[in-house]
């Protein structure tokens, strides 16, 4: 998996492209990609909560669904997800249940993030590698710009 670690920025940039797409669709700009053991992106997704009017339309969950359909299996052994914002509890547990090998995220989420550096109570986590802060500034800027535009639009 060392080859994937060397490409963290490459894959995170693909997730950032998805996040930009979300912003263009007036969704919170969060993007995710899932990468197989050969380094091939097998799933791409961005938030669609507003479009689908469903809290289950997080980028991570949509990417999991797409990856499972691609593989014909619910197990994502040896796969990695790259997501622009620290996943929430719902997404983290779905990722762990899918047996994902690693979670790489950009910006931290002080409000809704699962705070992945706090893993003490979760023995199941021992099999999931966590990498944080990859392209964090780009991820943070995208989110900040989106919410500034949202606030400004509400004032008008």
């Amino acid at each position: 998996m060392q080859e994937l670690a060397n490409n963290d920025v490459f894959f995170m940039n693909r997730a950032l492209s998805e996040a930009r797409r979300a912003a263009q669709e007036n969704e919170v700009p969060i993007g995710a990609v899932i990468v197989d053991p050969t380094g091939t992106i097998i799933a791409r997704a961005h938030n669609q909560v507003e479009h689908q009017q469903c809290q289950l339309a997080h980028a991570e969950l949509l990417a999991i669904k797409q990856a499972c359909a691609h593989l014909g299996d619910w197990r994502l052994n040896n796969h990695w997800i790259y997501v622009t914002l620290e996943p929430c509890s719902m997404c983290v547990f779905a990722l762990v249940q899918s047996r994902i090998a690693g979670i790489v995220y950009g910006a931290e989420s002080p409000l809704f993030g699962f705070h992945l550096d706090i893993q003490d109570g979760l023995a199941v986590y021992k099999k999931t590698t966590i990498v944080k802060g990859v392209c964090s500034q780009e991820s943070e800027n995208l989110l900040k710009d989106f919410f500034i535009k949202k606030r400004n639009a509400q004032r008008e």
Side-chain angles (χ1 to χ4, degrees):
M1 298 312 309
Q2 184 60 37
E3 312 81 53
L4 290 183
N6 293 334
N7 291 311
D8 283 349
V9 172
F10 174 83
F11 294 125
M12 189 59 76
N13 279 321
R14 298 309 169 271
L16 281 162
S17 292
E18 286 295 318
R20 287 185 200 94
R21 226 176 122 195
Q24 290 171 350
E25 296 172 10
N26 205 28
E27 297 277 356
V28 175
I30 301 169
V33 298
I34 294 181
V35 180
D36 75 8
T38 70
T40 301
I41 294 173
I42 63 164
R44 304 168 183 269
H46 57 277
N47 265 12
Q48 294 185 29
V49 172
E50 297 297 332
H51 175 74
Q52 293 188 21
Q53 288 296 292
C54 180
Q55 192 54 248
L56 297 176
H58 285 201
E60 300 94 326
L61 298 181
L62 296 172
I64 290 170
K65 187 174 182 177
Q66 193 180 112
C68 292
H70 172 82
L71 294 171
D73 193 356
W74 62 269
R75 294 169 193 87
L76 299 178
N77 295 329
N78 300 315
H79 289 68
W80 285 65
I81 189 165
Y82 292 79
V83 60
T84 57
L85 183 67
E86 177 184 10
C88 69
S89 298
M90 173 178 65
C91 292
V92 165
F93 282 108
L95 288 162
V96 169
Q97 289 294 321
S98 71
R99 299 186 181 160
I100 199 101
I103 301 169
V104 180
Y105 70 89
E108 292 190 13
S109 178
L111 291 177
F112 299 109
F114 190 70
H115 309 299
L116 295 173
D117 51 344
I118 304 170
Q119 301 176 32
D120 292 337
L122 300 170
V124 71
Y125 256 135
K126 303 301 182 212
K127 296 180 181 179
T128 305
T129 301
I130 310 298
V131 179
K132 62 182 181 176
V134 176
C135 299
S136 62
Q137 197 62 55
E138 296 91 331
S139 297
E140 288 173 24
N141 290 343
L142 193 55
L143 287 159
K144 285 178 185 175
D145 291 346
F146 175 80
F147 286 111
I148 287 170
K149 288 177 186 171
K150 273 276 209 218
R151 281 191 295 276
N152 290 340
Q154 289 174 347
R155 290 183 190 144
E156 294 175 358

